Amino acid sequence: MLIGPPTDRESLSHLQLLHLADSALPIGALAHSFGLESITTVELLTTANLESFLRAYIEEAGLLEAVFCRAAHRLAGARHEEFPVDRWIDLNFQLSARKPAREARTGSATIGRTFLMAVSNLGDHPVLKEALASARASGAGPHHSLAFGLASAILTLDENLAALSFVHQSAASLVSACQRLLPLGQSEATRILWTLKPAMIACAEASASRSTDAASCFLPMLDWGAMEHPALSTRLFIS
């Protein structure tokens, strides 16, 4: 039986969000560990403490990224006569300032740029093209969380679900990296992601009332790992 084109807008939006948040989306995210490779090399991160580490990651970095994801969503969702380029660039510079490790900044911007290019090619989205061009011209990102929030708004996807989906996607990408860096089996990886879902929900909910000025992140071990990454003699990941 052939199934016709979808007519339910809510169902279509749900599928589009699943597509954008899929860790297998070909935007280069799987090539980055954001410092995990370094801290697993010196055994600061092991399978024994992975779950607690990821919980801390969600509470700190996840919350930071969710706040900026929402900010970009609101930026595009507001009824401006034209896209507020200056504010978009400012948001990217703000997030860059909260990423002390160069490799983390570069990785986030590279993935965000590829993400915007990919979504721009899915339809006629002039705002996304303008956002990409202005970010390139200014050297400000575009960071992945901001690109995700902006694209979600342009596609009229729900802000709360967009923030939650981004947090989940970020955690899933780190678990995927750990499966290549640690003796972490598929069953344990699945269990950890399942167990952390309440923490992801709490993170997304907390981000709704947090301003970008008040958003911060304190993960010194991961920052050190990202800074140390270029010095590794053998590397599986770009960052």
Side-chain angles (χ1 to χ4, degrees):
M1 176 179 176
L2 295 177
I3 301 176
T7 56
D8 186 335
R9 177 60 208 173
E10 185 177 353
S11 296
L12 178 59
S13 296
H14 182 64
L15 289 176
Q16 289 175 333
L17 190 55
L18 287 175
H19 192 153
L20 297 183
D22 190 341
S23 59
L25 190 70
I27 56 174
L30 295 179
H32 294 268
S33 76
F34 293 102
L36 291 185
E37 186 166 13
S38 298
I39 61 177
T40 56
T41 299
V42 295
E43 299 184 0
L44 287 173
L45 181 64
T46 65
T47 53
N49 64 5
L50 177 58
E51 184 176 332
S52 60
F53 169 83
L54 289 172
R55 191 177 300 279
Y57 175 88
I58 291 168
E59 293 171 352
E60 292 287 338
L63 179 57
L64 174 68
E65 302 289 0
V67 168
F68 278 86
C69 178
R70 286 183 180 273
H73 192 287
R74 293 167 183 171
L75 188 68
R79 296 188 176 278
H80 300 287
E81 291 185 1
E82 59 182 28
F83 180 60
V85 173
D86 290 345
R87 176 59 177 161
W88 162 250
I89 292 174
D90 180 62
L91 285 173
N92 277 284
F93 276 129
Q94 282 190 48
L95 188 50
S96 289
R98 289 163 172 79
K99 295 179 180 291
R102 181 187 62 188
E103 285 215 337
R105 288 195 307 272
T106 302
S108 175
T110 301
I111 296 169
R113 188 180 307 114
T114 308
F115 177 86
L116 276 187
M117 291 173 61
V119 180
S120 295
N121 291 331
L122 298 177
D124 183 21
H125 304 300
V127 169
L128 297 185
K129 291 181 171 61
E130 184 177 7
L132 182 59
S134 61
R136 279 175 168 168
S138 65
H143 289 291
H144 188 197
S145 58
L146 286 162
F148 192 93
L150 181 67
S152 295
I154 295 300
L155 296 172
T156 65
L157 306 179
D158 180 74
E159 177 190 318
N160 294 321
L161 289 178
L164 180 59
S165 297
F166 186 83
V167 173
H168 187 278
Q169 186 270 341
S170 299
S173 291
L174 294 187
V175 170
S176 174
C178 287
Q179 287 185 276
R180 286 167 279 169
L181 293 168
L182 295 169
L184 180 67
Q186 186 63 48
S187 295
E188 179 64 4
T190 300
R191 186 199 65 78
I192 289 174
L193 273 177
W194 188 266
T195 302
L196 290 175
K197 284 180 178 17
M200 298 175 196
I201 294 171
C203 169
E205 290 177 347
S207 69
S209 58
R210 190 76 59 91
S211 70
T212 54
D213 289 339
S216 62
C217 173
F218 185 69
L219 284 173
M221 183 172 73
L222 194 58
D223 289 335
W224 172 84
M227 294 175 187
E228 185 70 15
H229 190 260
L232 294 179
S233 57
T234 303
R235 294 185 293 176
L236 294 176
F237 295 90
I238 298 173
S239 71

